[in-house]
Amino acid sequence: MNFEANLQRDAQGRLFIPPTQRPDGTWRPIKYVKEGYIPQDEVDSYRSKGKIFAEGVKAVGVPGYAGPVKQEERLTNADLNQTKMSKNQKKRQKKKEKKINDALQTDEDAEQLSSKVADLKVNLESEQKPVDVEKKKKNLLKKLRAIDDLQKKVDEGSVTPDKEQIEKLGRRKEIEDKLSALT
């Protein structure tokens, strides 16, 4: 929309926005403006550096991933950019290049480490099994004691078992089978 086409000059040569009619039928008053005035609706909204960066990331993809670019190409691009960079930017660029070089060298080391980690996981699992078996035994013995206590109370007549307690008493054989399987 070309806003400047709607501007007019009065007898003294001042710029103004002519009156317009609102949807409810009332009229907007004349609004005097300075040369180069741009209405608020046509001014670009403020975008922070973070928002601009985020939009750039969406267009590029994963931040920091340049794709399969050869090392020689990266250095030539960096050399071109260094002429425009400040001292701190150059330091950061050198650190980045060093990290990239280290990452390329450690690819083989990462594979070796991953195999070592897998071996450690296997060792840890084998060590945990005896502890788990003992925990399960303790748990099953505890359940058997609770069932025995409940059976004694029922035999004495101090407790009349409800539905859940009858089910608990019926599970005695199942728990004993599990306990014998663990030993």
Side-chain angles (χ1 to χ4, degrees):
M1 180 177 149
N2 188 1
F3 175 75
E4 293 177 3
N6 293 338
L7 292 178
Q8 297 177 2
R9 293 194 180 269
D10 64 0
Q12 287 114 10
R14 294 184 299 180
L15 279 176
F16 70 91
I17 301 171
T20 55
Q21 192 170 15
R22 295 185 182 110
D24 65 354
T26 60
W27 286 86
R28 292 181 186 90
I30 293 175
K31 183 176 181 182
Y32 288 95
V33 294
K34 294 182 181 179
E35 290 285 335
Y37 171 77
I38 300 173
Q40 187 67 33
D41 296 342
E42 294 185 12
V43 174
D44 289 336
S45 62
Y46 174 76
R47 296 183 332 170
S48 67
K49 289 181 182 179
K51 190 170 185 177
I52 293 169
F53 176 75
E55 291 169 357
V57 168
K58 287 178 186 173
V60 173
V62 178
Y65 178 69
V69 178
K70 295 180 182 175
Q71 186 66 20
E72 298 85 30
E73 292 177 10
R74 276 195 200 129
L75 292 177
T76 57
N77 291 340
D79 292 338
L80 292 174
N81 290 337
Q82 281 185 349
T83 58
K84 301 175 188 175
M85 288 194 264
S86 68
K87 186 177 178 181
N88 284 335
Q89 289 174 329
K90 289 177 184 176
K91 282 183 183 179
R92 289 187 197 116
Q93 184 66 28
K94 285 181 183 178
K95 279 185 180 181
K96 235 186 233 185
E97 289 172 6
K98 185 177 178 184
K99 283 183 182 181
I100 291 169
N101 290 335
D102 290 345
L104 292 174
Q105 292 172 356
T106 57
D107 282 343
E108 295 172 4
D109 295 339
E111 292 174 9
Q112 292 173 355
L113 286 175
S114 64
S115 63
K116 288 181 181 179
V117 168
D119 293 340
L120 286 174
K121 286 182 181 177
V122 170
N123 291 339
L124 288 175
E125 289 174 1
S126 62
E127 291 175 7
Q128 290 177 352
K129 287 184 180 177
V131 175
D132 291 341
V133 170
E134 289 182 27
K135 273 188 172 181
K136 289 180 181 178
K137 281 183 186 178
K138 276 187 179 181
N139 191 9
L140 292 173
L141 289 172
K142 184 177 178 182
K143 288 180 181 179
L144 280 177
R145 268 187 262 122
I147 290 172
D148 288 340
D149 291 343
L150 180 63
Q151 186 65 44
K152 284 180 187 175
K153 290 179 183 177
V154 169
D155 291 343
E156 291 174 0
S158 62
V159 173
T160 55
D162 61 355
K163 180 181 174 184
E164 291 176 1
Q165 290 174 329
I166 293 172
E167 289 176 7
K168 188 175 186 179
L169 292 172
R171 280 183 282 182
R172 180 182 180 88
K173 178 70 175 151
E174 180 184 335
I175 293 173
E176 287 174 345
D177 291 341
K178 285 183 181 179
L179 188 59
S180 63
L182 287 176
T183 53

